[in-house]
Amino acid sequence: MGYPGKNHKQYQTPKRPFEKTRIEEENRLMIEYGLRNKREVWKAASHLRRYRKAARDLLALMSTGTDRALFEAKTAELIGHLQRTGLLGPDADIDNVLSLKVQNQLERRLQTLVHRQGLARSPKQARQMITHGHIAIGGKRVSIPGYKVSRSEETEISYYRRSPVANADHAERARIARTGR
């Protein structure tokens, strides 16, 4: 067992580093979501890989003939967690867990939600505003663009109250309003 305070890698690199279709898909995702590097795509894929593995393990548990109540409880726990985080809708089942895509995970990032809610003109500007401390969730400043926003926090995203951008007369707010975002 390693030292608990040491940071460990949260992703796996691709097995084939020069696969053309994968590289093109990653580049498209980086542009669409304004990501800094491919490591952020790999992190999202690793998170989804864990959820899919848990769903497959549950299906294997069911096929071995174990207690149906245990299967239902563990399935409800997994699906409830994914619903609270916003990856699944209210009427989801185990098949929906297996059909999750990397885009679902990237849509839950603070950077993407700031852009989608119209607080920034582009994903890159959303990233910049977050890292510079202009965005808050529930009144608390958040400076991590990759922060996973839960469904309950989604409505609480706003400008940080002490940020100059929070002023309605700020020039950047006028530009954002003019572009229709």
Side-chain angles (χ1 to χ4, degrees):
M1 186 163 140
Y3 178 67
K6 182 171 171 39
N7 293 331
H8 297 282
K9 212 162 71 165
Q10 299 176 354
Y11 61 93
Q12 289 179 342
T13 57
K15 292 185 188 287
R16 295 183 181 144
F18 301 109
E19 189 176 15
K20 184 178 180 182
T21 57
R22 181 192 50 78
I23 291 171
E24 289 171 350
E25 177 65 18
E26 288 173 351
N27 286 337
R28 188 186 64 74
L29 288 173
M30 284 179 58
I31 292 168
E32 182 180 350
Y33 292 100
L35 305 177
R36 184 180 67 190
N37 52 35
K38 292 185 181 177
R39 188 178 310 133
E40 294 180 341
V41 176
W42 298 339
K43 281 182 186 179
S46 291
H47 284 277
L48 286 181
R49 200 175 298 124
R50 286 185 215 128
Y51 293 137
R52 284 192 214 113
K53 182 178 180 342
R56 286 193 311 269
D57 290 346
L58 284 173
L59 290 174
L61 181 71
M62 180 62 182
S63 68
T64 58
T66 56
D67 186 21
R68 177 92 175 154
L70 176 68
F71 171 75
E72 293 295 331
K74 288 189 178 270
T75 303
E77 183 181 345
L78 175 66
I79 291 175
H81 171 73
L82 292 173
Q83 287 172 340
R84 283 189 304 277
T85 58
L87 289 174
L88 291 179
D91 56 345
D93 60 350
I94 199 83
D95 293 330
N96 296 86
V97 176
L98 294 171
S99 65
L100 285 173
K101 304 280 184 227
V102 175
Q103 289 88 341
N104 299 109
Q105 184 79 11
L106 294 175
E107 285 290 331
R108 300 308 309 166
R109 289 169 48 97
L110 178 60
Q111 176 181 355
T112 305
L113 290 173
V114 166
H115 172 62
R116 299 266 193 261
Q117 289 184 359
L119 299 176
R121 288 183 285 163
S122 68
K124 294 276 190 180
Q125 185 185 31
R127 181 181 197 91
Q128 182 183 33
M129 292 179 88
I130 293 166
T131 57
H132 289 196
H134 298 298
I135 302 295
I137 297 178
K140 292 188 175 186
R141 185 188 305 192
V142 180
S143 61
I144 302 166
Y147 177 79
K148 301 291 184 263
V149 180
S150 66
R151 286 237 192 257
S152 60
E153 295 174 329
E154 193 171 347
T155 58
E156 300 174 358
I157 298 173
S158 63
Y159 294 112
Y160 184 59
R161 68 181 184 285
R162 292 187 0 208
S163 168
V165 183
N167 184 358
D169 298 331
H170 193 274
E172 189 55 39
R173 294 271 301 265
R175 283 190 208 107
I176 292 170
R178 265 197 312 262
T179 59
R181 290 221 173 235

